[in-house]
Amino acid sequence: MRHQNGSDLSWSDVTDKSVWLNRRQLIAGAAAIGLAGPAAAGISAVPSSLSTQEKPNTLEEITSYNNFYEFGLGKEDPAAYASALTVDPWSIQIDGLVDRPGTYPLDDILKGVTLEERIYRFRCVEAWGMVIPWIGFPLATVLDRVGIQSGAKYVAFETLLRPEEMPGQRSSILDWPYREGLRLDEAMHPLTILATGLYGEEMPKQNGAPIRLVVPWKYGFKSIKSIVRISLVAEQPETTWNMMAPGEYGFYANVNPGVDHPRWSQASERRIGAGLFSSRQETVLFNGYADEVAGLYKGMDLAKFY
Ligand code: MTE
């Protein structure tokens, strides 16, 4: 464990003991009543009441139709090229306005958390959607443990920069590394997770191994993959798609059928796997999570802060 100020602080030093005990009890309890269910063969995870009852897409659909520009622009490119990515060892630099900045090995970060299965709707800005059974844990768990300082108002994220393994980064299609950001209250919301797997197994590389963000009420581009840096900051951070085309991709990027993309409608969407001749479905405000998140945007003009 390397710590920025030179001290040897391990993740367990910043993890409350009750969290550890609680996790063991949860896993034992879940196993005893057979709840480990779908995750039993791979990563053990507890079910969540925040999951949708909708039928998940197949593993094949989720892992063969991807956006991950580090591996190319085509939907099949990530599945074709992401196998070259080295995901172990992996660490995340957590810095900025936090009490305990450091470069934390992923194993240490995961030691203290309860992994949950979160079956979420996922809506890309390109007007297609899926239902994905993620394995993950609230981002808030990590932020709380490093100690959020009072000046922090936003959270900024960065993807790995490694052109040797990420062929897309050898061209300037985007301003690398891929960057995203959330307002602090969005980042702390219980629906916002760091995901380390799906379908009960470790995260496939094309989906953002070994760890990615998932924010289910926002367009998919906010859900940044293969994260190596998390910074707590005072000002709204610059984000990749917003910088490239601010009129097309807002910082907020909340799913909203009433605010069209300048080049296409957002009123409806295509569910991947539904079949060529099935009808499109209506897009729902905040991707159907309005009960949980609408309060975050009270009094804000959603057409202005798109
Ligand atoms: N993260 C990085 N680093 N690079 C990307 O190109 N694409 C985003 C998002 N996260 C992207 C990324 C977009 S546009 C979408 S829709 C989702 O990842 C796709 O996630 P999936 O391939 O797991 O469905």
Side-chain angles (χ1 to χ4, degrees):
M1 156 79 43
R2 217 162 300 118
H3 192 247
Q4 271 191 342
N5 64 17
S7 74
D8 281 311
L9 192 64
S10 83
W11 191 255
S12 50
D13 293 325
V14 300
T15 303
D16 192 285
K17 192 124 190 217
S18 65
V19 176
W20 283 78
L21 293 173
N22 196 19
R23 174 177 185 258
R24 286 168 50 189
Q25 283 157 4
L26 269 168
I27 290 171
I33 50 174
L35 284 180
I43 309 171
S44 61
V46 297
S48 167
S49 58
L50 294 169
S51 286
T52 172
Q53 300 301 311
E54 283 170 71
K55 187 172 174 277
N57 279 83
T58 65
L59 181 64
E60 169 69 17
E61 286 156 1
I62 296 167
T63 57
S64 64
Y65 188 88
N66 301 99
N67 277 334
F68 200 166
Y69 279 26
E70 285 82 344
F71 296 101
L73 300 178
K75 295 284 183 276
E76 308 79 22
D77 290 337
Y81 302 116
S83 59
L85 181 65
T86 308
V87 296
D88 187 16
W90 194 274
S91 55
I92 302 181
Q93 179 183 343
I94 306 181
D95 60 11
L97 300 168
V98 295
D99 294 334
R100 290 172 284 277
T103 299
Y104 294 101
L106 182 57
D107 285 350
D108 285 2
I109 292 176
L110 297 181
K111 258 177 216 154
V113 304
T114 303
L115 293 176
E116 297 170 45
E117 181 174 68
R118 297 277 186 106
I119 307 172
Y120 281 165
R121 287 179 293 279
F122 188 84
R123 168 64 154 84
C124 179
V125 71
E126 296 163 340
W128 53 264
M130 293 200 201
V131 176
I132 305 184
W134 303 108
I135 302 285
F137 58 98
L139 170 63
T141 313
V142 173
L143 300 183
D144 277 337
R145 280 194 224 152
V146 292
I148 306 165
Q149 295 184 346
S150 61
K153 299 284 181 277
Y154 293 87
V155 185
F157 304 86
E158 274 181 31
T159 293
L160 177 73
L161 181 65
R162 194 183 285 159
E164 316 88 83
E165 293 183 357
M166 296 174 137
Q169 290 181 338
R170 291 176 220 148
S171 85
S172 49
I173 37 167
L174 289 181
D175 181 19
W176 311 110
Y178 193 103
R179 272 163 284 173
E180 258 310 332
L182 295 172
R183 223 169 55 190
L184 183 60
D185 57 349
E186 298 176 322
M188 296 299 286
H189 193 279
L191 281 173
T192 303
I193 57 168
L194 287 172
T196 56
L198 57 85
Y199 265 116
E201 300 290 342
E202 278 178 13
M203 188 66 76
K205 291 181 179 176
Q206 59 266 46
N207 293 90
I211 187 163
R212 70 170 298 168
L213 185 69
V214 180
V215 194
W217 71 94
K218 292 178 180 285
Y219 292 123
F221 69 86
K222 299 295 290 182
S223 293
I224 182 173
K225 296 177 168 183
S226 305
I227 296 169
V228 293
R229 186 174 180 194
I230 300 177
S231 310
L232 281 281
V233 294
E235 308 290 336
Q236 182 177 307
E238 292 195 322
T239 55
T240 298
W241 285 103
N242 182 240
M243 279 187 299
M244 180 149 125
E248 301 192 21
Y249 309 102
F251 175 80
Y252 281 90
N254 291 316
V255 175
N256 189 340
V259 179
D260 287 337
H261 185 279
R263 290 183 281 128
W264 59 86
S265 165
Q266 294 291 20
S268 71
E269 63 200 57
R270 180 170 61 94
R271 177 63 62 82
I272 300 299
L276 214 53
F277 302 106
S278 79
S279 54
R280 295 171 72 88
Q281 58 187 66
E282 277 179 25
T283 290
V284 183
L285 183 61
F286 299 119
N287 204 22
Y289 296 98
D291 286 351
E292 290 89 350
V293 303
L296 295 172
Y297 310 103
K298 229 174 134 201
M300 273 176 73
D301 180 348
L302 294 177
K304 188 167 168 220
F305 296 96
Y306 58 89

